Amino acid sequence: MPPRSAIWGLGVSQCVYWGIIYYAFSVLLVPMREEFHASNTAIVGAFSMGLGISALLAPHVGRWLDDGRGIALLRYGAWLGGVLLLAWSYVTSLTELYAVWVGLGVTMAAVLYETAFALVVRMIEQPQSRLSALAIVTVMGGLSSTIFVPIVGTVIAHEGWRTALRVLMVIWVAAAAYMEWRTLPALHAAESRLTLAAAPQRSRLPLGLIVLVGVPFVVGIFAAMALTTLVIPMLVDQGQPIDRAAWVLAALGIMQLPGRIWLGRGSTALPSSVLLVLPVILQATGLLLLAYAASLPIAFAGVGIFGLGAGLHTLARPWVVPQLFGVASAGEVNGIIARAQGIARAVGPALAALTYGQFGSTVVFSLLAVAMALTIVLATRASTQLAPSARAAIE
């Protein structure tokens, strides 16, 4: 097992990588649009293309992770990201922007959660310690938007978007250097010990079970993207000030943390079956509240409950998949599910906005609540496939 400091280092790197390569784009959108005299759609298209490339690569990355290449992926992906961030700060056209985001899509596939989760799963055998480590990584990743969106906005306001990207590049490279110096050696040592101790064999993957497990996660990501896209417009259309509407949406990120922090303490754990089903129930409940939210408190409660479920859901997949499919195949299975989630992440905002324009928020969030509720059946069935020892609470 790697030292606790290595797990925290992995979590810090996820905070940096998610904050820069994912959440910063929304803040950089407006100044890039103005400089390039382009539409929102044209600029966002580069980001969507990067997400699509990352999604398409996910199963291949998963197989590489199962083959023990996670540390190499994390290393080379991190340094590639630093180079591409610097290149991004010098682009002068949409063509160059799209070219950079081809590379950043590859970077996302290499350095974000899937690789970090796979490393934790492969290197920590004790179930409670593994769950605690996964929680630490997701807690740090969950702080990324809270930390980096204000930083990017402040630098853009004072120095412009190109300088902001160069500042982000420095932060990114510093995180990559720390990983190279302290975290990766500890992870490599832990992986070497595990490889010497056991060499698990990959078995044929049961497609039906992958679908059973994966659909709730895919629907959850689609719902999260729709919620993120529509909550502020919905509340503004209801007559609420935009600053108050923004605070409601902020509950989504904040409320993802409590469950992860609780599990990250390592003192107790939810049964695996509950960790698979409970987040789906919470997300469906939050969406239903949003469908009929006539006031800010109800909207805040809906977003908060959804966020609590989404935070646990992010943790559930890397925790449950190795139990169902084995450690040797966990990377590939997670990659297959991640590809579907990536597609949902890319198309969710556009479909949600289109439906909102035609039918309004009540219809959108009601449909999402029903879809999420239907996946409770799938999550429950998947939980019955867990071994009795995995379904039981871990003491």
Side-chain angles (χ1 to χ4, degrees):
M1 176 177 170
R4 195 88 166 166
S5 60
I7 301 301
W8 280 104
L10 197 60
V12 169
S13 72
Q14 288 301 299
C15 179
V16 172
Y17 297 157
W18 276 100
I20 293 175
I21 206 171
Y22 189 85
Y23 290 107
F25 194 93
S26 62
V27 191
L28 293 158
L29 169 61
V30 172
M32 286 194 298
R33 179 192 68 190
E34 293 174 351
E35 181 168 328
F36 295 149
H37 303 288
S39 66
N40 284 336
T41 302
I43 300 295
V44 172
F47 183 59
S48 295
M49 184 184 66
L51 291 173
I53 290 171
S54 178
L56 291 174
L57 288 175
H60 304 288
V61 168
R63 286 192 286 273
W64 294 334
L65 294 171
D66 290 336
D67 290 337
R69 302 178 188 175
I71 290 175
L73 277 169
L74 200 56
R75 169 180 288 127
Y76 296 122
W79 293 116
L80 174 64
V83 172
L84 290 169
L85 286 170
L86 183 61
W88 184 4
S89 73
Y90 286 100
V91 299
T92 58
S93 67
L94 286 177
T95 301
E96 294 174 0
L97 178 66
Y98 275 70
V100 166
W101 269 92
V102 169
L104 288 174
V106 175
T107 301
M108 285 193 287
V111 305
L112 294 183
Y113 272 152
E114 298 309 316
T115 302
F117 290 159
L119 288 171
V120 170
V121 167
R122 286 178 63 85
M123 297 176 194
I124 302 178
E125 296 178 281
Q126 203 281 326
Q128 181 55 61
S129 297
R130 180 187 290 172
L131 181 59
S132 176
L134 289 169
I136 288 171
V137 172
T138 56
V139 165
M140 297 306 299
L143 292 171
S144 55
S145 61
T146 304
I147 293 172
F148 280 93
V149 168
I151 290 175
V152 178
T154 300
V155 179
I156 288 175
H158 290 87
E159 302 293 339
W161 69 274
R162 295 183 186 276
T163 299
L165 275 170
R166 290 161 196 160
V167 170
L168 293 176
M169 182 272 294
V170 172
I171 297 172
W172 180 288
V173 169
Y178 182 83
M179 287 281 292
E180 193 74 39
W181 174 47
R182 295 295 300 271
T183 305
L184 294 185
L187 296 178
H188 179 71
E191 185 177 52
S192 299
R193 288 193 296 270
L194 185 59
T195 301
L196 290 172
Q201 299 298 312
R202 189 184 302 166
S203 57
R204 186 175 180 180
L205 298 178
L207 182 59
L209 184 56
I210 294 175
V211 172
L212 194 67
V213 174
V215 168
F217 293 106
V218 175
V219 174
I221 285 292
F222 185 93
M225 296 305 295
L227 184 153
T228 302
T229 303
L230 298 182
V231 161
I232 290 179
M234 176 190 78
L235 293 174
V236 170
D237 289 346
Q238 291 177 358
Q240 300 292 344
I242 192 169
D243 56 340
R244 294 185 181 180
W247 277 109
V248 170
L249 184 57
L252 180 62
I254 294 170
M255 288 303 295
Q256 290 188 45
L257 298 178
R260 297 175 181 178
I261 292 172
W262 176 55
L263 293 175
R265 294 174 59 194
S267 57
T268 187
L270 288 173
S272 297
S273 55
V274 174
L275 191 56
L276 202 56
V277 177
L278 178 61
V280 184
I281 296 174
L282 291 171
Q283 289 173 95
T285 302
L287 290 166
L288 188 61
L289 284 175
L290 280 171
Y292 299 97
S295 65
L296 280 175
I298 296 176
F300 188 89
V303 172
I305 292 171
F306 183 93
L308 182 61
L312 290 172
H313 220 201
T314 301
L315 187 57
R317 178 161 62 84
W319 168 239
V320 171
V321 163
Q323 298 178 39
L324 288 171
F325 301 93
V327 171
S329 299
E332 185 173 1
V333 173
N334 274 318
I336 292 170
I337 298 172
R339 177 172 59 185
Q341 286 183 301
I343 294 170
R345 186 179 282 113
V347 304
L351 288 179
L354 179 63
T355 308
Y356 177 76
Q358 293 291 321
F359 303 104
S361 61
T362 299
V363 171
V364 174
F365 287 121
S366 294
L367 290 174
L368 289 172
V370 170
M372 204 77 231
L374 290 175
T375 69
I376 295 173
V377 178
L378 300 181
T380 303
R381 288 185 60 190
S383 72
T384 64
Q385 303 298 312
L386 291 163
S389 58
R391 289 200 300 269
I394 301 170
E395 299 298 337

